Amino acid sequence: VVIDPGGIVFTRIWCCFEIATTLKHSEDKLLDLATVTETGSVAILSSGTMVSDVDEGNLPHWQHCGGAVAVKAAREKAFPLELIAKGREILLERGEASKEVDRLRILNA
Protein backbone atom coordinates (compact mmCIF):
# COMPACT_ATOMS: atom_id res chain seq x y z
CA VAL A 1 0.00 0.00 0.00
CA VAL A 2 1.38 3.40 -0.93
CA ILE A 3 0.48 5.93 1.74
CA ASP A 4 0.49 9.65 1.07
CA PRO A 5 2.42 11.70 3.66
CA GLY A 6 -0.85 12.91 5.21
CA GLY A 7 -2.33 9.43 5.53
CA ILE A 8 -5.41 10.36 3.52
CA VAL A 9 -5.57 6.80 2.19
CA PHE A 10 -6.70 5.75 5.68
CA THR A 11 -9.73 8.06 5.49
CA ARG A 12 -10.94 6.80 2.11
CA ILE A 13 -13.48 4.03 2.56
CA TRP A 14 -12.73 2.34 -0.76
CA CYS A 15 -8.99 2.07 0.00
CA CYS A 16 -9.66 0.63 3.45
CA PHE A 17 -12.23 -1.79 2.06
CA GLU A 18 -9.79 -3.09 -0.56
CA ILE A 19 -7.06 -3.62 2.03
CA ALA A 20 -9.43 -5.36 4.45
CA THR A 21 -10.92 -7.58 1.74
CA THR A 22 -7.51 -8.61 0.44
CA LEU A 23 -6.24 -9.51 3.89
CA LYS A 24 -9.44 -11.27 4.93
CA HIS A 25 -9.64 -13.51 1.88
CA SER A 26 -5.94 -14.17 1.41
CA GLU A 27 -4.24 -15.48 4.52
CA ASP A 28 -0.99 -15.97 2.61
CA LYS A 29 -0.85 -12.35 1.41
CA LEU A 30 1.78 -10.04 2.84
CA LEU A 31 1.12 -6.36 3.43
CA ASP A 32 3.85 -3.82 2.81
CA LEU A 33 3.45 -0.09 3.43
CA ALA A 34 5.41 2.61 1.60
CA THR A 35 5.49 6.39 1.89
CA VAL A 36 7.68 9.39 1.22
CA THR A 37 9.24 11.03 4.27
CA GLU A 38 9.60 14.76 4.95
CA THR A 39 13.11 14.60 3.50
CA GLY A 40 11.81 13.11 0.25
CA SER A 41 13.18 9.62 0.79
CA VAL A 42 11.12 6.45 0.50
CA ALA A 43 10.26 4.55 3.69
CA ILE A 44 8.95 0.98 3.56
CA LEU A 45 7.50 -1.29 6.23
CA SER A 46 7.58 -4.82 4.90
CA SER A 47 6.00 -8.00 6.15
CA GLY A 48 9.31 -9.78 5.73
CA THR A 49 12.82 -9.05 4.62
CA MET A 50 13.25 -7.65 1.12
CA VAL A 51 15.80 -8.84 -1.43
CA SER A 52 17.78 -5.64 -0.81
CA ASP A 53 17.83 -6.41 2.94
CA VAL A 54 19.30 -9.84 2.26
CA ASP A 55 21.86 -8.47 -0.21
CA GLU A 56 23.00 -5.74 2.14
CA GLY A 57 22.79 -8.08 5.13
CA ASN A 58 25.42 -10.29 3.48
CA LEU A 59 27.99 -7.49 3.62
CA PRO A 60 30.62 -7.97 6.35
CA HIS A 61 29.42 -4.97 8.36
CA TRP A 62 25.90 -6.37 8.73
CA GLN A 63 26.83 -10.04 9.15
CA HIS A 64 28.06 -9.39 12.68
CA CYS A 65 25.04 -7.40 13.84
CA GLY A 66 22.03 -9.30 12.57
CA GLY A 67 22.34 -9.50 8.80
CA ALA A 68 19.17 -8.99 6.78
CA VAL A 69 17.00 -8.58 9.89
CA ALA A 70 19.20 -5.74 11.15
CA VAL A 71 19.10 -4.06 7.73
CA LYS A 72 15.29 -4.36 7.73
CA ALA A 73 15.09 -2.80 11.21
CA ALA A 74 17.38 0.07 10.21
CA ARG A 75 15.38 0.67 7.02
CA GLU A 76 12.04 0.68 8.84
CA LYS A 77 13.18 3.28 11.40
CA ALA A 78 12.60 5.93 8.74
CA PHE A 79 8.86 5.15 8.50
CA PRO A 80 6.87 8.01 10.10
CA LEU A 81 5.26 6.87 13.36
CA GLU A 82 2.32 9.24 12.87
CA LEU A 83 1.28 7.27 9.76
CA ILE A 84 1.36 4.03 11.70
CA ALA A 85 -0.83 5.67 14.35
CA LYS A 86 -3.33 6.83 11.69
CA GLY A 87 -3.47 3.33 10.24
CA ARG A 88 -4.23 1.85 13.64
CA GLU A 89 -7.11 4.27 14.16
CA ILE A 90 -9.05 3.30 11.03
CA LEU A 91 -12.80 3.16 11.52
CA LEU A 92 -14.35 1.96 8.29
CA GLU A 93 -17.77 3.34 9.21
CA ARG A 94 -16.23 6.84 9.26
CA GLY A 95 -14.56 6.40 5.89
CA GLU A 96 -15.14 9.00 3.22
CA ALA A 97 -16.30 8.50 -0.36
CA SER A 98 -16.93 10.84 -3.28
CA LYS A 99 -20.57 9.75 -3.28
CA GLU A 100 -22.61 8.83 -0.22
CA VAL A 101 -24.26 5.97 -2.12
CA ASP A 102 -20.80 4.39 -2.66
CA ARG A 103 -19.96 4.72 1.02
CA LEU A 104 -23.22 3.01 2.00
CA ARG A 105 -22.69 0.19 -0.49
CA ILE A 106 -19.25 -0.52 0.94
CA LEU A 107 -20.55 -0.45 4.50
CA ASN A 108 -23.28 -2.90 3.55
CA ALA A 109 -20.93 -5.24 1.68
Side-chain angles (χ1 to χ4, degrees):
V1 176
V2 177
I3 305 169
D4 58 286
I8 300 299
V9 68
F10 294 130
T11 68
R12 304 303 297 170
I13 197 165
W14 186 251
C15 297
C16 295
F17 178 74
E18 286 182 344
I19 293 167
T21 301
T22 299
L23 294 175
K24 180 180 177 183
H25 297 294
S26 305
E27 292 180 18
D28 60 335
K29 295 277 184 190
L30 300 177
L31 180 65
D32 297 338
L33 305 174
T35 193
V36 176
T37 67
E38 291 178 356
T39 63
S41 62
V42 174
I44 301 172
L45 290 179
S46 59
S47 294
T49 55
M50 297 171 34
V51 172
S52 60
D53 298 335
V54 175
D55 291 345
E56 191 172 345
N58 286 327
L59 297 174
H61 167 74
W62 289 104
Q63 287 180 346
H64 301 289
C65 56
V69 174
V71 173
K72 174 182 167 30
R75 171 178 50 78
E76 291 184 341
K77 281 184 183 179
F79 201 92
L81 293 177
E82 60 273 7
L83 287 182
I84 296 169
K86 283 184 181 185
R88 292 179 49 93
E89 296 170 357
I90 295 171
L91 293 174
L92 192 59
E93 61 272 17
R94 292 189 186 165
E96 300 170 0
S98 299
K99 297 179 182 178
E100 181 63 12
V101 66
D102 292 339
R103 189 179 86 77
L104 294 174
R105 285 182 182 149
I106 289 171
L107 289 174
N108 291 320

